[in-house]
Amino acid sequence: MSRTTPTAAAATVASLGGVLAVQWLPRLPPLWCLPLLPLAAVLLAWRLPRWRWFACVLLGIAWAAWRGGMAMDARLPRALEGRDFVVVGTVTDLPQVRRDASRFMLRAERVTLDGRPLSLRGRLAVSWYSHATVLQPCSRWRLLLRLKRPRGLRNPGGADSERSALERGIVATGYVREDGDNRQQSSPPVCIDGLRDAVARGIAAHVHDPHDAALLQAFSVGDTRGLVPHDWEVARANGVSHLIAISGFHVGVAAVFGVGLAWLGYGLWPQLGLRLPRTQAQAGAAMLAAGMYSAMAGFGLPTVRTLLMIAVVVLARCSRRCSSGAQSLALAMIAILLVDPLAVLSAGFWLSFVGVSLLMLCLQARGRGLRAFVHELSAGQLVMTLGLLPLTLWFFGEASLVGALSNLIAVPLVSFVIVPCALFGMVLLGLCPPLAGPVLWLAAKMVHIQWWLLQRMAHWPGAHWYLPTVQPWALLLALSGALWLFMPRGVPLRWLGVLLFLPMLLPPRQLPAEGGFRVWVLDVGQGLSVLLQTRKHTLVYDTGARYPSGFDLGEAVVLPSIHALGITHLDLLMISHGDNDHAGGARAVAEAFPQARRLAGEPARMPVPMPQCRAGQAWQWDAVRFRVLNPVVSRSARKGNDRSCVLLVEGRGGRMLLTGDISARLEPEIAAALGAGPPTAMLVPHHGSNHSSSEPFIRAVHPQLAVVSAGWRNRFGHPRPAVLARYAEAGVPVVNTAQQGAVTLDFPADATVRRESGFRQRQPRYWRE
């Protein structure tokens, strides 16, 4: 076994390295060269046995590149984006019903365009607006869908939804079009997701408090549809999101539950031992219970990892062989990479495998008994909290310093009380529903008490801890430091591991010089949000939209961008006017920075109290002058877009004009108020609509650069071709956030404006549109 384990581990690490190398490529290698890599790997392993690890690297590269190419080729062709398709498919997972729409995954079975069949297979992320009927899991539908390729927003610190779509197998996104032929077709009578939904409804029927029921549904079957954004905020603040999403430990508890049932069966009927040895029966029962619970939990990655590890142990027991934890973990990873190499794109893959690896490497058994159990539990939470801190900051941009204590309380309660009660209740729901009531009531009470405590801990200092974007080299150093810090006793100078965390914890920052400033026009889709920083001050101009579904761009884009850029305070929040695409995220930003000063063009339409901005207001930060050019409050007849706060920011080397949604009627006044000054960059008014950016205005401002904030394939057609033509005739380059992602403009004190590459062009990956 001593020679087998390192071999399995080395092959696993080498294969993982090959798979991971592919994910850093801007473009996938051509298909014709992929068969050469396995051939080279076989020859290398045959002729040079010492280089077999590199043969595993080549195999990993070939396999990941082939699967990645298949996944990208499966997406909707670009030429067909925005068309209407007739799709017959099956609803997968658990549909979400919100006030504005039902959202669900549809597995496409047959797709036609203009009556002609189309080869489109995979998962479709679909929204059905104004649809009151609750969609059932596994139901089969014929629908008219308008589809496009998966495409997300690209910002500093923002989530990579295109990477997530690739990892989840989503080939297109879209919405249901009104059509008289939209209808449900014949559906299978029983399916796994249908059973999950039935268990969730059974829990809701027996637990009277809706919030307790929603939490118990999440802990039991991974049904998070009843959770609100505040619940996820509490979970992140306490570092317990992995428990809500069904952790691998829950599957282990289910396996123990299966062993217990087998033990009970042999206790009641000892003659069973004559037909099947007890050890093999208990192993099989553990595998069956773990598999059933993993299916009920939706086969999340942590559950699959644990299930595969249990499978390795079960096979070893049934074949009367020994299997170490390291070998089980390595074989589980190999199995996942073989089935789905794109799993390495998910945070769950790394948090799951790295966490278990750290526990195996760093924790030593200290005997048996309650004292040893408490020591291992507390030490394990400390290892997981500090050891996974680099990965948590890398993937999510934030971490919880109270997570170790929160998990020390939550993990035993969830794993040893709530989950067993939930499992027992789920069994009783199928066998005798009235008896399930008291068991689920007890589980709900435990959930209620635990959540009450977590809500209070979420307000402790350090519950939300943010750092600037973690660089890859700092991530590797911090992971090495965590491993060194928690090495077994006897390893010298373990405390030096703390020093390897410093590049991540104290990253270098480049602040604008006195008289200079930097601007980020964020990618918020069809809306606007601008982040502006001088040497010691920060301003946010508009915050993007908040949608009826609850998706808030202030929370999802603006705040993560602020944290990723290392900005710790906000001096001014200015909202140009009251339209949702400019003001929707204002509440989230204002609540995150309650001390920030506020100004708005239409205070009466703001989601939070804000004073009126007025033409003539002026101030200076770090030798950078700020001047409000609009609105002139005395002209109260103006409404809507023409009441936008127009702000001119002037440094020593250049100036930036923030225009909001003003129309061509107001542009002459803005041009007259602008005055002479250094070279100018500007926001294209009103996202480039036909009602703004007149030729006289463009000539009067004479910008070196114009930036338009618009959504990809937006329904308004912004920026309009005629507007772009006017800028082109004036020799003004136009940059569009829909194409570039977030746009960064640097205004040095001693030079004119410089545009950096858009965030969509930075760190290019093959899955990004």
Side-chain angles (χ1 to χ4, degrees), residues 509-533:
R509 293 185 60 196
Q510 295 181 347
L511 297 174
E514 195 83 3
F517 62 97
R518 189 172 290 126
V519 173
W520 293 269
V521 183
L522 301 179
D523 183 9
V524 292
Q526 186 62 22
L528 178 65
S529 183
V530 179
L531 182 60
L532 188 147
Q533 183 187 38

Side-chain angles (χ1 to χ4, degrees), residues 64 70 94 106 223 342 350 404 410 427 467 481 492 497 590 594 613 684 714 766:
M70 287 183 58
L94 301 178
L106 189 73
D223 180 6
L342 299 180
W350 296 99
V427 173
L467 283 177
C613 70
V684 174
N714 65 84
Y766 70 86

Side-chain angles (χ1 to χ4, degrees), residues 40 142 149 172 281 399 423 504 551 555 559 634 636 731:
R142 182 269 184 203
R149 290 167 68 91
L423 287 172
M504 182 188 71
F551 182 67
E555 184 178 5
L559 291 178
S634 60
S636 57

